[in-house]
Each structure stands twice: as structure tokens, then as C-alpha cells.
Amino acid sequence: MLIRREGEDDTEVIRAITAAAFARPGAAGHAPPEVALVDELRASKAWIPALSLVVTGSGGDVTGHVLCTRGHVGDAPVLALGPLAVRPDRQRSGVGSALMHAVLGAGDALGEPLVALLGDPGYYGRFGFRLASEYQIYPPVAGWQPHFQVRLLTAYRPSVRGTFRYAEPFDRV
Ligand SMILES: CC(C)(COP(=O)(O)OP(=O)(O)OC[C@H]1O[C@@H](n2cnc3c(N)ncnc32)[C@H](O)[C@@H]1OP(=O)(O)O)[C@@H](O)C(=O)NCCC(=O)NCCS
């Protein structure tokens, strides 16, 4: 596995992987909303080119994608992680974990304070995510609290607390 930044030629394969990873049963022929979300994020001011990463397999084919975009806790700039997508035939072979470690390291190297996401604590706990409420950080929708997590990075300060806000394209998903 090799991990690198998304390049200009990767847009289509990222769409295909996102569509396959998030496909819902019974929704054949309809692209899942995560596909448009990634495209809209890429066109938005929340996009951070250094934090959209792809993983390639031994044949050079892209098998997974992760991105972080600009979010805020109160007025403080932070990172929002997702969507994270691994090609279904390559899932459960460490691709998702490799992408997570890479993007968290990159975010830390950029001096970002924390990464927020909505997901299963059973999966993301292994990457150091904890419930955001432990740090007085709250999701934009109160009902998300049991799944809303943050991973603190080196530049974190406890003064970063309050309600989290995703970039605007997330509002349409
Ligand atoms: C979630 C996803 C990115 C994980 O990628 P992956 O390459 O399969 O992950 P890895 O091989 O690194 O890790 C596999 C481990 O994750 C666990 N896992 C995968 N998805 C999980 C989930 N939703 N909840 C809990 N655990 C999960 C597996 O059980 C496995 O655990 P184990 O090693 O203890 O058996 C991938 O399954 C995927 O693309 N899913 C569809 C899209 C999605 O749900 N994305 C995340 C939300 S944005």
C-alpha cells in the first residue's frame, strides 16, 4: 500500500469507490449522497488539498480515499473527517486503518487542533477518537452525541469547546 495526496486524475475513481462503499441495498442506479458530498466539498472553500488522500495497491490502482475538510468548534478552526471509503473487495485488509493513520498524522503535522467525525465508536476508538462530549464539544444535532467523536492532536487546547459546525456541503446530505 502507498498513500499519497489526491491528484487531478483521481476524481473519477474516488467517485466510483465512494459509490461502491456507500451503496445501499435496494438503491441500485442511484448514487449515494456521499458521492455528491465529496464533489461539493472539493469545490468549496472548506477543501484542504493536503488532506485528501488516496491509497494505491500493488498494481497502482486506487483502493481507498479519505479526506478532512475545514470545520469549526465555535469560532475555532478544526478538521472534519469523512467520508472515508474503501473499495468493497479490499475492505478488512487494513486499507481503512492505513488511511486513518495517514490523515491523522498529516493533520497533526499541519498544526490542526483536532479531528471530529460522526461514526461508530467501536471502529474509531482504535485511532484515538473519544466521545466529543468528554471535551465539552457538541454536535450540531443533539441526537448525534453517542456517535460524535473527536481525536485530539498536538495543537489542541481545552479552550476549543462548544458546538461543532461542518462545512456547508454537509448540510445537504
Ligand atoms: C469503514 C471502512 C472505511 C473500514 O475500512 P477497512 O479497510 O475495511 O478497515 P480495516 O481493514 O482497516 O479495519 C477493519 C476493521 O474495521 C472494523 N470495521 C469496519 N467497519 C466498521 C464499522 N462500521 N463499525 C465497527 N467496526 C468496523 C472491522 O470489523 C475490522 O475490525 P477487526 O479488524 O477487529 O475485525 C470500510 O469498511 C468502508 O469503506 N465502509 C463503507 C463506508 C463507510 O461506512 N465509511 C465510514 C463512515 S464515513
Side-chain angles (χ1 to χ4, degrees):
M1 268 189 269
L2 293 176
I3 294 183
R4 60 168 171 78
R5 275 168 66 156
E6 169 188 338
E8 280 176 18
D9 295 340
D10 296 321
T11 308
E12 275 308 324
V13 70
I14 289 171
R15 282 190 192 123
I17 289 170
T18 306
F22 287 95
R24 278 116 174 123
H30 296 281
E34 287 82 0
V35 177
L37 173 61
V38 173
D39 284 341
E40 289 181 27
L41 286 169
R42 192 183 288 107
S44 80
K45 62 182 185 346
W47 188 253
I48 304 171
L51 297 180
S52 178
L53 306 180
V54 294
V55 57
T56 58
S58 51
D61 51 330
V62 174
T63 57
H65 174 239
V66 70
L67 78 164
C68 287
T69 51
R70 176 60 65 216
H72 290 86
V73 171
D75 292 334
V78 302
L79 297 177
L81 191 146
L84 163 67
V86 174
R87 211 171 73 190
D89 64 314
R90 295 301 311 278
Q91 289 178 8
R92 304 196 83 128
S93 56
V95 175
S97 298
L99 283 169
M100 287 297 297
H101 289 300
V103 83
L104 291 170
D108 199 38
L110 288 173
E112 295 286 342
L114 62 84
V115 181
L117 61 75
L118 196 57
D120 183 344
Y123 181 59
Y124 292 104
R126 68 190 73 184
F127 306 110
F129 283 84
R130 298 285 174 267
L131 284 182
S133 53
E134 290 181 25
Y135 306 101
Q136 287 85 50
I137 296 171
Y138 301 100
V141 175
W144 295 355
Q145 201 159 309
H147 295 102
F148 188 68
Q149 302 161 68
V150 294
R151 162 60 139 77
L152 306 184
L153 302 177
T154 307
Y156 166 77
R157 298 288 175 273
S159 58
V160 180
R161 58 178 179 234
T163 302
F164 174 83
R165 194 161 33 89
Y166 276 106
E168 187 267 336
F170 281 95
D171 296 342
R172 294 192 284 275
V173 180

